[in-house]
Amino acid sequence: MGAYKEPHGGELKNLYLDEAGVKTEQQAARDYVSWDLTPRQACDLELLLNGAFSPLEGFLTQSEYDAVLTTMRLPSGVLWPMPITLDVSQEFADQVEPGQAIALRDQEGVLLATLTVDDKWTPDKQREAELAFGTTDAKHPAVNYLLNTAGPVYLGGKLKGVEPPTHYDFRLLRDTPEELRERFAKLGWRKVVAFQTRNPLHRAHQELTFRAAREAEANLLIHPVVGMTKPGDVDHYTRVRCYEHVLEQYPEQTTSLSLLPLAMRMAGPREALWHAIIRKNYGCTHFIVGRDHAGPGDDSNGQPFYGPYDAQELFREHEAELDITMVPFKMMVYVEDRAEYVPADETKPDEKVLNISGTEFRRRLQEGLEIPDWFSYPKVVAELRRSYPPRQAQGFTVFFTGLSGSGKSTIANALLVKLLESGGRNVTLLDGDIVRKNLSSELGFSKEHRDLNIQRIGFVAAEITKNGGVAICAPIAPYAHTRQAVRDMIEPVGGFLEIHVATPLEVCEERDRKGLYAKARAGIIKEFTGISDPYEVPESPEMSIDTLALTPELAAHRIFVKLESLGFIR
Ligand code: PPS
């Protein structure tokens, strides 16, 4: 590649078959058992096939996996810090023996590649977590994935690529390592510094990356991750629109943008090395490593998993053999009197330094507060405001839970009327009985059916919330884990308030407005909540209502006031 250094560990891999090979493989794969790739596996596969993970030629075999975990190297001695494994279910693994080939398909069933299985093994996941991520704490996103999502069996072996996973979004901004190397060559860029990011860019980032490129006398590649990042991050559609605005801020022809479909692990130091190797494969010569690079946040004890400069240290130890140069990130701060960004270690003691933390920035967005021009670009802020409107324009769900006859429906109806009276909101009531008639008419009251019923309610409420509406749900929802699942579905897309209507069983039974408790006691109705079926009392609902002390109107009023105080209603 002319001016470019060799890819990591030798030649740049390209695991795609040629046209004739694809036809033959498609034919052969008809007889193979098929594995439908998870979103994370699809990301890994794409970067394996196009050479971004060179020198890997497939998912790690058991000996490669052991070597990577214990030495951060492949058995050949080449540095490779991240276990890239194909995890499958036990049921699937039982159909596969070493030596056999399997078809790897996307979620729609399209054949993307085949894998000739060399090894099949059951990994010790605790050991993997400890060795790869330095912890078994499931607050670490990759540990959580490993322990709670990944399948129990790994398959390792070489890949034959049939076609890349399809992307319909931002196609012109997606490049293979080969394409990016070609682009650099065409542009005459001999030195390229890459900037890895999973966040929107603001002025400090522009200043930092521009300085980094100038210091390295290199051109700049903004190389954001659009595969899988940290749960809760700004979605990549919004981010890419922001990046395009920030691109206008660099001198013309100096900077390029390309999207990387990587599934991040948030593995700090090991991840920094991995990121650098990937960028080298894409033809970059320099890589920016910042404070807390690919940091997973805090552990269960509120302590950071890695030290803020561990990634820079590990990189420095291996820089010689990595053959890509680190540009250490200098934290940039805004100096008011000078009206410019400078590295934090270059400010004078008497200078007033301004900064807005990520948390403060999100709070300002959420509450529709001012975001100063010194912090970001008006176009970037407008883009973020469009995707993350203040709470009064966000959807929310009020989820009542409580025993039959506790008063859920009455309070839910009173709240509905209050919201309609005050206006400006589209409200849908998903009352237990209404749902049972319309959405879940075939379901009974076994645990399985109740869970299914609540999941359906949660799904509909999440859709309503995502689209800016208000959902009021009022089922019994007796199981804590199902209520939690509904919360997990809704919180990322809007507000969620769990309201426990805490009327005691004796009172519900005494009221017995529908005559169901009498029937339940007589054994005519089976599996009746509170009588012959469990109700798990919510441990930390947003509100608990004592219907003995409050009328339904007052209860609805209290919820309304809570919604106002949270900013959901004006
Ligand atoms: S669940 O557990 O959340 O799926 O229940 P839900 O959909 O809210 O349905 C509860 C209403 O169904 C009537 N009903 C029963 N409830 C509990 N247990 C049994 N076995 C049962 N059989 C019928 C009852 O009228 C509930 O209405 P509400 O409004 O809660 O009184």
Side-chain angles (χ1 to χ4, degrees):
M1 238 308 113
Y4 295 100
K5 296 175 179 173
E6 279 297 302
H8 181 69
E11 63 174 317
L12 189 63
K13 304 290 175 191
N14 176 350
L15 308 183
Y16 287 108
L17 295 164
D18 61 18
E19 217 174 300
V22 165
K23 283 218 173 89
T24 316
E25 205 60 21
Q26 279 171 332
Q27 188 79 33
R30 288 182 192 159
D31 300 328
Y32 297 169
V33 286
S34 291
W35 175 253
D36 291 346
L37 295 158
T38 64
R40 186 168 107 169
Q41 292 168 347
C43 287
D44 286 351
L45 181 81
E46 182 168 2
L47 298 190
L48 281 165
L49 294 181
N50 73 15
F53 286 173
S54 298
L56 301 193
E57 292 180 34
F59 288 100
L60 297 188
T61 60
Q62 190 169 4
S63 57
E64 288 170 337
Y65 166 80
D66 278 330
V68 166
L69 288 185
T70 51
T71 64
M72 278 202 332
R73 291 175 190 283
L74 296 167
S76 64
V78 172
L79 198 64
W80 186 269
M82 200 57 68
I84 308 296
T85 49
L86 183 69
D87 59 285
V88 299
S89 64
Q90 187 64 56
E91 199 185 5
F92 182 79
D94 290 343
Q95 303 172 51
V96 180
E97 288 310 324
Q100 193 179 325
I102 61 167
L104 301 180
R105 298 179 186 275
D106 70 10
Q107 302 276 337
E108 273 84 52
V110 176
L111 179 72
L112 301 182
T114 61
L115 177 83
T116 306
V117 178
D118 282 330
D119 280 331
K120 167 173 104 168
W121 76 104
T122 302
D124 177 345
K125 291 190 175 179
Q126 298 285 333
R127 174 176 174 263
E128 177 178 337
E130 196 57 67
L131 289 171
F133 309 117
T135 175
T136 52
D137 186 340
K139 266 206 85 190
H140 190 299
V143 174
N144 184 35
Y145 184 92
L146 177 65
L147 301 181
N148 299 319
T149 306
V153 184
Y154 288 175
L155 303 178
K158 289 203 169 142
L159 286 163
K160 289 182 190 157
V162 172
E163 65 175 280
T166 316
H167 298 288
Y168 296 105
D169 56 330
F170 305 117
R171 290 168 94 127
L172 289 178
L173 292 175
R174 294 174 183 271
D175 303 281
T176 63
E178 224 167 74
E179 287 166 343
L180 211 50
R181 283 169 168 259
E182 248 164 53
R183 191 197 305 172
F184 296 156
K186 263 193 194 160
L187 288 166
W189 291 8
R190 299 173 61 83
K191 289 203 270 178
V192 183
V193 48
F195 183 62
Q196 137 82 31
T197 182
R198 43 169 263 266
N199 285 312
L201 302 186
H202 302 298
R203 280 185 198 270
H205 303 100
Q206 194 278 345
E207 192 66 40
L208 160 97
T209 49
F210 182 64
R211 276 176 185 245
R214 206 171 47 194
E215 276 166 31
E217 296 179 333
N219 287 93
L220 177 64
L221 173 71
I222 307 288
H223 209 196
V225 172
V226 297
M228 291 171 79
T229 62
K230 202 173 156 201
D233 279 349
V234 172
D235 69 90
H236 81 270
Y237 298 102
T238 305
R239 283 191 287 122
V240 173
R241 293 197 298 273
C242 291
Y243 300 138
E244 288 188 310
H245 295 312
V246 175
L247 219 54
E248 297 163 8
Q249 302 300 325
Y250 295 93
E252 262 178 59
Q253 314 291 331
T254 60
T255 304
S256 211
L257 171 67
S258 184
L259 310 182
L260 181 67
L262 173 74
M264 289 180 71
R265 289 3 185 209
M266 311 309 302
R270 275 197 186 225
E271 181 121 356
L273 292 189
W274 186 41
H275 285 177
I277 291 170
I278 295 167
R279 272 38 182 244
K280 176 161 165 40
N281 288 335
Y282 273 95
C284 302
T285 53
H286 293 70
F287 185 62
I288 300 175
V289 180
R291 190 183 181 279
D292 195 26
H293 189 99
D298 289 345
D299 65 16
S300 299
N301 302 317
Q303 298 301 314
F305 282 101
Y306 312 115
Y309 296 104
D310 287 2
Q312 291 186 359
E313 271 167 37
L314 191 70
F315 198 123
R316 213 164 274 127
E317 277 171 39
H318 296 92
E319 199 161 8
E321 67 178 304
L322 265 176
D323 213 9
I324 178 166
T325 309
M326 172 167 65
V327 183
F329 181 111
K330 298 178 189 87
M331 174 123 154
M332 304 293 285
V333 290
Y334 187 73
V335 179
E336 197 173 29
D337 293 340
R338 292 199 244 167
E340 65 172 0
Y341 277 91
V342 292
D345 55 357
E346 288 176 23
T347 59
K348 297 183 195 107
D350 57 336
E351 278 179 329
K352 188 173 171 201
V353 165
L354 301 179
N355 203 5
I356 293 182
S357 68
T359 316
E360 171 62 10
F361 178 70
R362 279 191 292 279
R363 186 187 75 88
R364 290 189 186 203
L365 268 188
Q366 213 160 47
E367 296 181 18
L369 301 175
E370 195 227 334
I371 290 160
D373 275 357
W374 62 260
F375 179 76
S376 192
Y377 304 98
K379 280 184 179 174
V380 170
V381 174
E383 217 45 90
L384 291 168
R385 283 202 201 281
R386 213 149 64 96
S387 298
Y388 298 89
R391 277 197 172 148
Q392 81 237 31
Q394 277 177 31
F396 63 88
T397 291
V398 180
F399 190 94
F400 290 95
T401 167
L403 296 169
S404 172
S406 58
K408 301 181 300 287
S409 303
T410 319
I411 303 172
N413 271 293
L415 178 65
L416 169 75
V417 169
K418 270 192 161 301
L419 287 166
L420 294 177
E421 268 179 4
S422 79
R425 281 291 194 170
N426 294 321
V427 194
T428 303
L429 178 61
L430 296 164
D431 191 25
D433 284 332
I434 304 176
V435 171
R436 288 259 169 200
K437 275 201 193 84
N438 296 288
L439 266 184
S440 296
S441 55
E442 86 285 18
L443 299 184
F445 289 88
S446 63
K447 173 161 193 315
E448 195 192 354
H449 277 192
R450 286 180 196 262
D451 281 350
L452 202 51
N453 182 41
I454 301 306
Q455 277 160 18
R456 288 178 188 174
I457 295 176
F459 174 78
V460 176
E463 286 299 308
I464 292 170
T465 304
K466 186 169 77 189
N467 291 305
V470 176
I472 303 177
C473 315
I476 297 178
Y479 298 109
H481 78 99
T482 329
R483 295 193 297 260
Q484 182 63 41
V486 172
R487 181 187 287 276
D488 293 345
M489 236 191 289
I490 296 175
E491 273 183 345
V493 295
F496 183 81
L497 274 81
E498 185 180 32
I499 314 280
H500 179 211
V501 183
T503 314
L505 177 65
E506 313 80 72
V507 179
C508 297
E509 189 166 3
E510 201 183 298
R511 287 183 193 156
D512 204 9
R513 288 170 62 187
K514 299 182 189 167
L516 296 175
Y517 281 94
K519 285 190 184 154
R521 286 283 180 205
I524 301 166
I525 303 180
K526 304 268 183 279
E527 300 176 310
F528 196 82
T529 309
I531 306 294
S532 42
D533 224 45
Y535 179 80
E536 297 169 5
V537 173
E539 275 178 13
S540 44
E542 273 67 17
M543 194 185 282
S544 183
I545 289 176
D546 176 1
T547 55
L548 302 180
L550 286 179
T551 63
E553 288 76 16
L554 268 176
H557 179 71
R558 268 190 57 195
I559 300 167
F560 195 84
V561 169
K562 173 104 184 167
L563 288 166
E564 271 179 337
S565 74
L566 290 171
F568 285 112
I569 337 181
R570 275 252 156 129

